Every structure is written in C-alpha cells, then in structure tokens.
Amino acid sequence: MITKFQGQGSTVRHASGRYLMIWEYAASDAHGFHTGEIIREYRLMDHPLDGWRLYCPPDRMRSHLDRALLDPSWDGLRDQFETLPAPGCACCGAYNKFDRTWRCTDGTVRCEKHAKRNPCAIEGCKRTTAARQGWYSNDDWLCGTHWRIACPPRSALRRAYHRLFRLKKKIGRSTPELNARYWRLMRGIISRARGRDCGAEDLAAEVAKAMGWAA
C-alpha cells in the first residue's frame, strides 16, 4: 500500500495494481420511470482514493465483494481482486470523503491539516516535517527520536552521514554521485530503523565508502 495509516473501510485492488470502482444506479424506461433493474458499471482506477470503499466488518468483506460482482461475465475473474485497508492521511490516518483528503504527487495521501507535511517513516509515528519544495514521501525522513535510535551519535553511520555533507561543502555543490550515495545510506538507515532487512553488507559497504575505508 502507499499509505502509512489505515483510513476508513477497505478498498478493492485488482491483480494489475489498480483499484475497482463500482457505480450502481436504477435503470429507467424511456419515460424516466424506474424499471426496478439495478445497473452496475465497473472501472479500474489508478488510485485507491478513486476506488470503491467497503464499509463492513472484515469477515464480511469478501462476501460483500462477491455479491457486487454478480454479472456472469465476472465468472473466473473474482479471484483477481483482494480487499485491503483503505488509505488515510499518511501523517495521521484521517480520511474525509468530502474531498478534503488529497493525493500527493507521489501517490501518497494527505488530509487538509497535513497538506504540506511529510510523516516520519516509522509506522505509527505521527511526527511530521515540512514537505520542502513540494517533495512528498512517506519514506524519506525520520523524526529526532527514531533518527537517534537508528543512527546513534558518534556511531559509524552518523559519521558517514556527516562526512557526505562535508564532502558536499568541500566541493561546493552536490553531485549526482554524492546524491546517490546519500540516498543509498539513508535508505539503509531507514530500513534499519524499521527493523527490516536493510542489506547489512551493502549498508556496511556504503559506510566504508563514505568514510574512505573502502579499498
């Protein structure tokens, strides 16, 4: 998913990665009178905010979806769909269905309060920072607490991080190589903070390279 926090209800994702939208309306005759027939229109949308939301207990989601796909043309296709937690604001989890929840340039979601903020990359942490120059991401920033945990003072990681900035200052500008090295190091630090496999050997090699220890 592209959100840190679960919003309200669930959304339906197709195996292609797109999201199911279903419109239901009553059919009318030539005189505008309802015929009693229910018309369903189906479409796959690129973003979960545009998809169909299910508001029912988790144990009923699958059956609710199956009932919605009653058209015989869906036979053999129903298993291509799965229900997932619907996205909410990546900073606080809020969701407002009255057009006050927005998708950002990278596909992440923000509420009105956090329209120009980025969240700490750690799941459940609600600390935020400004989205400078319109850069939106859920994965690029650690709050002070999680930064100190993942990259302790005087550690090799911290020294490697600061050395990249000294190299940038010495050169007088950022270069594509320095920028790539910075993000490789940051991705490893953030993965480490999340308790995930950060590629310990790759991270150690990147620290050694930043510190000038690599052969």
Side-chain angles (χ1 to χ4, degrees):
M1 290 294 290
I2 58 175
T3 180
K4 279 183 61 193
F5 288 95
Q6 179 178 343
Q8 299 175 8
S10 298
T11 189
V12 181
R13 186 172 66 183
H14 183 249
S16 66
R18 292 182 292 172
Y19 297 84
L20 179 67
M21 182 61 194
I22 302 177
W23 286 275
E24 294 184 340
Y25 55 91
S28 301
D29 60 21
H31 302 287
F33 295 105
H34 292 171
T35 63
E37 180 185 4
I38 299 297
I39 303 296
R40 290 187 177 90
E41 292 186 3
Y42 306 89
R43 191 176 301 173
L44 292 178
M45 314 299 287
D46 291 331
H47 196 279
L49 283 186
D50 296 326
W52 190 48
R53 281 191 181 239
L54 297 172
Y55 295 96
C56 59
D59 59 342
R60 292 176 54 198
M61 288 179 187
R62 185 71 232 182
S63 60
H64 193 81
L65 174 61
D66 287 340
R67 286 199 301 274
L69 305 180
L70 293 175
D71 192 305
S73 64
W74 286 89
D75 290 347
L77 300 177
R78 296 182 183 87
D79 290 340
Q80 296 181 18
F81 294 88
E82 60 177 338
T83 55
L84 299 169
C89 172
C91 297
C92 67
Y95 168 73
N96 188 322
K97 60 184 177 182
F98 299 108
D99 298 326
R100 293 189 180 273
T101 305
W102 295 280
R103 72 210 70 187
C104 300
T105 52
D106 67 337
T108 58
V109 179
R110 301 288 187 276
C111 68
E112 186 174 22
K113 178 180 177 182
H114 296 108
K116 296 182 180 181
R117 309 290 294 179
N118 281 333
C120 174
I122 303 305
E123 186 74 28
C125 181
K126 294 188 178 182
R127 294 182 180 178
T128 65
T129 189
R132 294 182 177 86
Q133 299 178 341
W135 175 263
Y136 290 98
S137 176
N138 295 351
D139 305 307
D140 293 339
W141 177 76
L142 292 173
C143 69
T145 298
H146 289 111
W147 172 251
R148 287 189 292 272
I149 292 172
C151 195
R154 296 179 294 279
S155 66
L157 274 176
R158 183 73 69 96
R159 296 201 304 273
Y161 178 85
H162 287 301
R163 187 168 189 272
L164 289 177
F165 282 92
R166 290 197 299 272
L167 288 172
K168 177 182 176 181
K169 185 176 180 180
K170 182 178 179 180
I171 297 172
R173 61 185 176 85
S174 182
T175 66
E177 181 185 2
L178 280 178
N179 195 46
R181 287 169 63 182
Y182 169 81
W183 282 113
R184 284 197 299 269
L185 186 63
M186 276 301 297
R187 297 298 184 204
I189 291 172
I190 289 173
S191 294
R192 186 171 185 260
R194 286 172 162 171
R196 299 175 183 173
D197 179 11
C198 58
E201 292 183 1
D202 293 337
L203 184 56
E206 192 58 44
V207 170
K209 185 176 181 181
M211 298 299 293
W213 299 334

